[in-house]
Amino acid sequence: MRRASQRSSRGLTWSFSGLFLLLLGCSGAGDPTGTLEVPRWPEGTVLVCAGDPIQVDEVDMIAEALRPLGPKFTQPHLRRLALTNIRLPLAAGRALGGKERRGQALRDAEDSFRSLEEVNHPAGEDPGILIEGAQDALGLPLWVLIQGLGTNAWAGPSELPGQFVLLKLLERDGNERPQREQFTVRVLSFPYVDDPPSLAGEALKSTLEVVDETWEPLVPGFWRYQMGSTGDSTD
C-alpha cells in the first residue's frame, strides 16, 4: 500500500514547494534622504517560523487547495489548517535540515526527474513508493500536491515537509466527496531530514515570530505557547 513518486511541472514546488517561492525586492533608489529603511522580512510576510518567512500568498494558495474538504470552512479556519498541517512543519523541516542538505536534496530530485523523462519504465516498475487511499491515508500535504495533477506523468520536484518529492498520479476514482476520493500515486522521495513524518512535532519546538498581528489568532494557542511566539520588534 506504500510505494510512490511524483513529477514536477516545476511550478509545483510547495516552495506546497514552489508552492512556496518568496520574492524579495528592496532598493533605496528614489529616497530623497538616502535613508530608506530596508524591510526586515520580504513583503507580505505574516509569520516567521524558525527563521523562515511565511507569506500570505503562499498560505492562501494552500488554504484554497484545502477548500473542497470543507466548503463551509471560513478563510481563517482554512488558513489555520494550512499553517498547522503544512506551512509550519515545512519551516521546521527547512531549519532542521539546513540549506546545504536541502539544496542537495533538491538537486537530486531534479536530476532524477530528468532521468525519468528520458527512460520509460515498464508498468509496475517505476521507482518510489506506491501509496493508495483517500485524504486521511495520504495526509493533507500530499493530498494538496496531487490535486490538479494529470495521470501517468511524473511531476515535480515539489516540497513536502522535510523532503522533495516526484509524483506520478496513477489513478483517482472521482468520488464526488473529496474526503473520500481514492487515489493511487507513486512517490519518489528525496528527504533532507532524517524523519519527515516527525515535523509536526518539531514545529512545536521551533520559534515563532508574529509579523502581522492579525495572523496571531490563526496559530492555535497551544502552538503559540509551545513555540514561545513573539511580536515583531523594530528595535
Side-chain angles (χ1 to χ4, degrees):
M1 180 151 165
R2 295 216 153 202
R3 291 251 157 207
S5 223
Q6 179 187 53
R7 170 212 179 166
S8 170
S9 45
R10 310 214 189 252
L12 272 180
T13 323
W14 244 318
S15 262
F16 185 13
S17 198
L19 215 50
F20 308 129
L21 277 170
L22 306 179
L23 302 178
L24 171 61
C26 292
S27 171
D31 176 23
T33 66
T35 59
L36 181 65
E37 183 178 349
V38 177
R40 190 173 165 202
W41 302 111
E43 183 178 357
T45 298
V46 291
L47 301 167
V48 178
C49 177
D52 187 22
I54 299 174
Q55 295 177 279
V56 60
D57 288 348
E58 56 178 336
V59 176
D60 283 349
M61 189 183 301
I62 302 169
E64 192 59 32
L66 293 171
R67 187 176 297 279
L69 296 176
K72 294 184 179 180
F73 288 167
T74 64
Q75 186 185 41
H77 184 61
L78 289 169
R79 284 175 165 176
R80 186 174 295 113
L81 290 175
L83 286 169
T84 56
N85 286 278
I86 297 171
R87 193 55 183 89
L88 292 174
L90 188 72
R94 290 174 176 176
L96 188 63
K99 290 183 178 180
E100 183 175 345
R101 192 173 176 187
R102 179 172 175 261
Q104 185 60 56
L106 177 57
R107 289 189 292 274
D108 290 345
E110 291 172 336
D111 290 344
S112 183
F113 178 70
R114 284 190 288 269
S115 176
L116 289 169
E117 285 187 311
E118 296 169 358
V119 178
N120 289 321
H121 292 87
E125 296 185 15
D126 279 325
I129 297 174
L130 190 67
I131 299 179
E132 299 174 301
Q135 172 265 312
D136 57 348
L138 273 57
L140 282 180
L142 178 57
W143 185 89
V144 167
L145 280 186
I146 63 177
Q147 302 307 304
L149 286 185
T151 56
N152 297 309
W154 286 101
S158 297
E159 190 175 12
L160 293 172
Q163 60 186 314
F164 287 97
V165 292
L166 303 179
L167 304 175
K168 187 175 187 180
L169 179 62
L170 301 175
E171 187 178 0
R172 61 192 304 172
D173 70 0
N175 193 305
E176 292 183 358
R177 300 187 66 177
Q179 300 93 328
R180 297 186 178 181
E181 186 173 13
Q182 299 290 315
F183 297 88
T184 302
V185 58
R186 191 166 287 278
V187 179
L188 185 56
S189 175
F190 301 85
Y192 53 84
V193 300
D194 294 335
D195 185 18
S198 71
L199 288 174
E202 288 296 328
L204 291 173
K205 303 175 187 177
S206 303
T207 59
L208 179 67
E209 179 178 340
V210 179
V211 177
D212 182 338
E213 64 181 12
T214 64
W215 279 69
E216 186 171 13
L218 301 184
V219 181
F222 176 74
W223 284 62
R224 296 199 306 270
Y225 175 77
Q226 291 293 318
M227 300 172 79
S229 72
T230 62
D232 188 21
S233 65
T234 56
D235 51 20

